[in-house]
Amino acid sequence: MNKKEKKYYTPQRFLKKESVEKHRSDYAVFFTFLIIAALFWLLINLSQEYSLSYDMKVYLQNPPEDRMITEQIDSTVTFHITAQGFYLVKLEFMHPDQLMVNLKNYTIHRAEDNRYYISTQPLKEDIALLLGISPSQIGFSKNTLSFVMEKLAKKKVKVIPKLDIKFDDFYNLYKPYQIKPENILVYGPKEVIDTIDLLYTVPVHLTNVNESLEVTVKVDVGNNHFIRVNPEKVKIILEGEKFTQSSVQVPVSNPEKNKNIHTFPARVTVFYNVALKDFERVKSSDFTVVPDLEHVDLRKVSRLDLKVIRKPDFVRDLRVEPPRVEFIIEK
Amino acid sequence: MIKIGLTGNIGSGKTTVCKILETLNVPVFYADVEAKKLYKRRDVVEQLVKKFGRIVLNENDLIDFKMLASLIFSDRKALEFVTNLIHPLVFQVYNEWLNRWEKEPVTVHESAILFENHLQHHFDKTVVVACPKEIRLKRLLERDKISQEMILQRMKNQWPDEQKENAADYVIMNDGSVFLIPQVLTLLENLKGSSSVS
C-alpha cells in the first residue's frame, strides 16, 4: 500500500486547523474595523473648520496710463483662510504663491506725496474666486497694500530701425523703408525722458531678400525699466525690387550765366541703377550735369569735377564718366 | 589759310578735339555729318537704288543706313562704289565751305577714314587723335550701347593707331593722361608759326 494513502486527518488534527483559521478571521475583522474607524475619524476631523495662513507675492499691474510704480512697499501679503479640512488639504498642494493685482479694477487711494494704497477688502472676492471659496472665509494680514507711484512724463520720439538687410543679387530697396508708426510715445520719470531723443528697434537681420516685406519688430528700451513705450512694436515696410545698371548721354550745362564755360567733352555719360519697372521711364533730359565750381579757382585748375544736380527720383548710385572735364572760359 | 585734315579712330575723341578748336574760333568741317546729309539728296538716293535695289530704302523712301552698312561691309566693291559716289560730293561741299572761311588762318576737316580713303593730299597738315584701343572700346561700350563685336567689326575697317600716327604730321594724345586743351593750343601755335615762317 502507498504511504500517501495512509495520511488521514485525525479528529484532533482537524480541531487544531479550525482554531487557527478562526484566529485569522478575527484579525481581519479587527483591522477592517480599525481602518473604518480611522477613516471615520479622519472624515469627522476633515469636516471640521480650520484656519491656515499663506504668504503670497503681490504683483501690481496696469497702473494709470500716465503713472508708473517705482516701489512696492507691500510686496508680499499674508492671507488667512478658514475652511473645512478637506479644502485645506487640497489647498496645501495647489495654492498659488503669486497674486496679480490689476489696478484697473481697484480704487487707488493717495496716502501722501507719491505714496498710494489699495484696500485689501475688495481683493477678497478675487482671491475667493481664484481659490473657489467664499470671500467670508478669507482674511488679510494687512488692510491695505501700499506702493509708490510717480507721475510719468511723456514724449513723442522717433523710432530708428536697426536693419541689417542682405539682398539677393540685383535686388535692392525700391524706396526708403517706412516705419509705422514713425513716432511713439515714451512714458517715464521726467529726468529719464529728458535724456531720450530717439529709440531704436531691436536688431533685425534679413538675408537673401528678393521681395517686398513687412516686419513687425519690438522697440528696444534696453535695461531701462523705468520707461514704457506705446506701442511696443513698430512695423517696418520694405519694398524690394530688381535693379539694373543703365546709362544716358547728358550735355554738360553751364553752371554760371555770367561765365561762358565750355567743357571738353561737352557730353558725358551718366551711369545709374534703376529698378526694372522704371527702366523705360529714364530720359537724358531728366538729368542736369554741371561743373562743380564751389571752392574752385578757375585760374589754377585744368580740370573741373562734374556733379549731377538734377535726376529722376527713382535712379540711384550715379556715376559720371569722365568724372572731370577740361574747360575753356569764353570771354 | 592752313587746311588741316583731322582724323582718329572710332572712340578716340575727335569730336572733343574739334569742339575745343571751334571754341578757339577755328572753323571745323565735319565730313561724316555732311556725308550723311548727302544721302538725302535725290540724285544720291537714285544712284544707290540703281546699284542695290529698293532694299536700301526704308518705309519713308529714305536710305536705310543699317541696311546699307550691312551691304557694303561684306562687299568690298560695293564699299568702293559708295565711297566713289559720296566722297567727291563731300569734297564739293567742303570746297564751298572753305570759300566761306577763306580769311581764317586755320580750318579743320574732320573725317574718321581720312587715310583709309587716301584724302591726306587735300590738306596742308594732318592731325591724328590717338587713344589706346582698350580705352576706345570702353568709351564706345559706354557711349553707344552697341555690342563689343559690332565695335570690333567697325575698328577692323580702320587703320591701326600706330599706322595713322606714323602717317600724320601731328598727334594729339587723348588717353586721359595728358590734358587735351594745352595740346590743341600747342598745335595751333605750331601751325600758325609754321604758316608765318612759310
Side-chain angles (χ1 to χ4, degrees), chain A residues 246-249 262 264-265 269 271 302-303 321 326-328, chain B residues 16 19-20 23-24 138 142-143 145 176 178-182:
Chain A
S246 190
S247 64
V248 283
Q249 289 280 307
H262 296 268
F264 305 100
T269 309
F271 291 89
S302 300
R303 280 182 181 149
E321 189 60 42
E326 290 180 58
F327 66 99
I328 293 174
Chain B
T16 302
K19 294 291 174 196
I20 296 172
T23 310
L24 297 169
K138 185 174 169 273
E142 288 171 355
R143 188 188 74 186
K145 293 183 181 173
V178 195
F179 290 115
L180 266 184
I181 295 171

Side-chain angles (χ1 to χ4, degrees), chain A residues 9-115:
Chain A
Y9 283 108
T10 60
Q12 289 81 3
R13 285 184 73 183
F14 181 78
L15 279 172
K16 194 178 178 183
K17 186 175 180 258
E18 201 175 44
S19 166
V20 169
E21 281 180 359
K22 188 174 180 304
H23 279 292
R24 276 184 189 163
S25 171
D26 289 345
Y27 287 137
V29 169
F30 173 75
F31 283 113
T32 304
F33 277 99
L34 185 66
I35 289 164
I36 291 168
L39 202 60
F40 272 105
W41 176 85
L42 188 66
L43 288 172
I44 288 163
N45 278 290
L46 285 177
S47 66
Q48 288 174 4
E49 286 205 333
Y50 296 92
S51 282
L52 276 180
S53 297
Y54 293 108
D55 286 336
M56 282 173 109
K57 200 159 188 176
V58 179
Y59 290 95
L60 300 174
Q61 296 177 319
N62 297 322
E65 190 72 7
D66 60 340
R67 281 161 203 272
M68 174 174 266
I69 295 165
T70 51
E71 190 188 344
Q72 217 171 303
I73 298 163
D74 296 316
S75 58
T76 57
V77 65
T78 306
F79 71 98
H80 312 288
I81 298 176
T82 305
Q84 280 187 321
F86 298 116
Y87 182 79
L88 292 176
V89 169
K90 191 173 89 178
L91 197 65
E92 189 62 36
F93 293 106
M94 51 181 288
H95 77 272
D97 56 359
Q98 293 179 354
L99 178 61
M100 302 292 178
V101 179
N102 186 351
L103 291 175
K104 276 185 182 167
N105 301 334
Y106 303 99
T107 308
I108 299 170
H109 304 276
R110 188 172 180 183
E112 55 181 13
D113 298 330
N114 291 333
R115 199 169 159 152

